[in-house]
Amino acid sequence: MTTKLGNIGQTDQAVFITKDISTGETPMYNPFDGNYYFVDIEYGDVHQYNPHTGADQKWHLGKGMVGGLVINDDGTLIVNAEDGLFAFDPAKSALAKISDIGTDQSSKHKMRPNDMNVFPLADGSSRIAIGCIPVDRTKVAADEKPSVTYIVDPKTLGLKAIWDNHVTSNALCGYTENGKNVVFYAETDKNHNPRMWRATYNAATDTLENAELFLDKANDDFQGGRPDGAHIVEVDGRKLVAVSNLDTHRVVGYDVDTAEPVMRVDAPVTPDEELTLTHAVFGPDANGETICLINSSKRQKPDGGVKLGVAVIVPIKSEFNVKSLQAVAVGYPSFAALTAGKSTETLQAQPVSRIPVPVSKPRTP
């Protein structure tokens, strides 16, 4: 399966932000401060990449593994972690717990929050979605599907399950069109058949309706990989769901209606490593040109071990008009309201050293 437009990224111009993370996940562009944010799952950190200075800094939350973050409508962040849901203000390095995640305690597996994104709604509001998965997926039997995907109620911050009975929740994203709320979500696991669904989101009842299979591993729709992170983008006016495929080095954009693979962005390949993608987001660089920030890798070390985690920037070719439709969390309380009467911690920002790494030319599909 090939993509209609081929690789729209300038892969040979890619620049690594950092290679000193465990598993990078859920990159988001913040239109309020012009920075990019992503999490380091196992280390429990939130990273901030400044495209104007090229600097990467991080905050260690100390709340267990961190699964993801979204941008709130006041420019602050809402972050999930093993210890709960948190409001974080990067400008003040201020962190406060705002609610418990409250995952299903009846499961025999210890669960943690994972993928996180925002579903924009036709009325101008939104829903934050969080997928929760087993901490140790190696202990999940072949016939078990313990994961649950929740939405966060904007008024109570409580969780409501909207999808259960699956292995690993991933690729949460959505868009609105002609008064409809369209969402995507995927099941990902090495020992199962990864699939991605397209559904309508009923905002009145907070339920998924008219779900249909959108992409299927059995048909190699993921081009040899498995779906992980996803965002909605427009490329030359065509709306696509851009899916980062684990076990591959590429982000693939599929037409939101037909599932036709329209474009891809190839991550760099070096002599000693190949990226296995977890998530990617599109946005502007310091000059307003479009870039793709890609998270994670599978790095083969000389001793044969594997270390996950990287963040890399791939510039988009100027002949393509790429517009990110990444949503922010509209309709949720501000940082001030979320933290009123709560204990707030001041974290210490730590600079992350950046080492330029030469890359090879992208591989042909």
Side-chain angles (χ1 to χ4, degrees), residues 28-30 36 51 233 280-286 288-293 313-316 322-326:
M28 296 281 174
Y29 174 69
N30 189 336
Y36 290 81
V233 298
V281 70
F282 295 80
D285 67 5
E289 301 295 330
T290 304
I291 58 176
C292 181
L293 191 159
I313 295 293
V314 177
I316 301 302
V322 179
K323 178 183 178 182
S324 173
L325 300 184
Q326 172 208 303

Side-chain angles (χ1 to χ4, degrees), residues 88-152:
F88 180 57
D89 184 349
K92 299 178 180 178
S93 295
L95 179 77
K97 183 175 180 179
I98 55 177
S99 72
D100 292 317
I101 293 293
T103 56
D104 184 5
Q105 299 304 312
S106 65
S107 172
K108 72 178 185 180
H109 300 283
K110 181 181 180 182
M111 307 292 284
R112 71 165 179 86
N114 184 44
D115 200 7
M116 185 177 185
N117 214 329
V118 174
F119 294 159
L121 303 179
D123 65 1
S125 65
S126 67
R127 293 293 186 273
I128 295 174
I130 302 175
C132 291
I133 67 173
V135 172
D136 187 353
R137 281 170 285 174
T138 65
K139 295 182 179 180
V140 178
D143 60 344
E144 287 185 295
K145 295 190 174 184
S147 294
V148 182
T149 298
Y150 301 90
I151 60 94
V152 180

Side-chain angles (χ1 to χ4, degrees), residues 190-204:
K190 286 184 178 180
N191 301 317
H192 295 75
N193 179 34
R195 293 169 291 181
M196 188 168 185
W197 285 268
R198 181 184 191 273
T200 301
Y201 190 82
N202 186 328

Side-chain angles (χ1 to χ4, degrees), residues 178-356:
N178 300 324
K180 291 186 177 180
N181 310 316
V182 180
V183 298
F184 295 89
Y185 49 97
E187 178 176 7
T188 303
D189 189 81
K190 286 184 178 180
N191 301 317
H192 295 75
N193 179 34
R195 293 169 291 181
M196 188 168 185
W197 285 268
R198 181 184 191 273
T200 301
Y201 190 82
N202 186 328
T205 59
D206 283 319
T207 55
L208 299 172
E209 299 177 345
N210 306 314
E212 57 183 356
L213 188 62
F214 184 72
L215 298 171
D216 189 0
K217 173 69 173 179
N219 300 324
D220 198 27
D221 291 333
F222 302 111
Q223 303 197 11
R226 296 172 288 137
D228 200 323
H231 278 300
I232 306 298
V233 298
E234 282 187 2
V235 178
D236 295 344
R238 189 171 183 178
K239 197 175 275 89
L240 311 175
V241 53
V243 182
S244 299
N245 287 333
L246 289 165
D247 308 321
T248 75
H249 68 296
R250 60 183 49 165
V251 181
V252 181
Y254 303 88
D255 185 284
V256 295
D257 295 313
T258 67
E260 177 189 7
V262 176
M263 66 81 179
R264 71 178 196 269
V265 177
D266 290 351
V269 179
T270 66
D272 62 343
E273 68 185 357
E274 293 183 9
L275 298 183
T276 179
L277 308 191
T278 58
H279 220 304
V281 70
F282 295 80
D285 67 5
N287 299 315
E289 301 295 330
T290 304
I291 58 176
C292 181
L293 191 159
I294 297 172
N295 266 148
S296 204
S297 79
K298 182 179 292 181
R299 190 152 68 248
Q300 300 292 341
K301 298 188 292 185
D303 62 3
V306 174
K307 181 180 180 182
L308 292 175
V310 75
V312 62
I313 295 293
V314 177
I316 301 302
K317 297 174 183 176
S318 59
E319 59 262 38
F320 296 101
N321 181 14
V322 179
K323 178 183 178 182
S324 173
L325 300 184
Q326 172 208 303
V328 300
V330 177
Y332 286 82
S334 66
F335 180 85
L338 287 170
T339 60
K342 294 182 173 62
S343 176
T344 301
E345 303 174 56
T346 301
L347 306 181
Q348 181 65 47
Q350 306 169 42
V352 179
S353 60
R354 177 174 144 190
I355 303 174

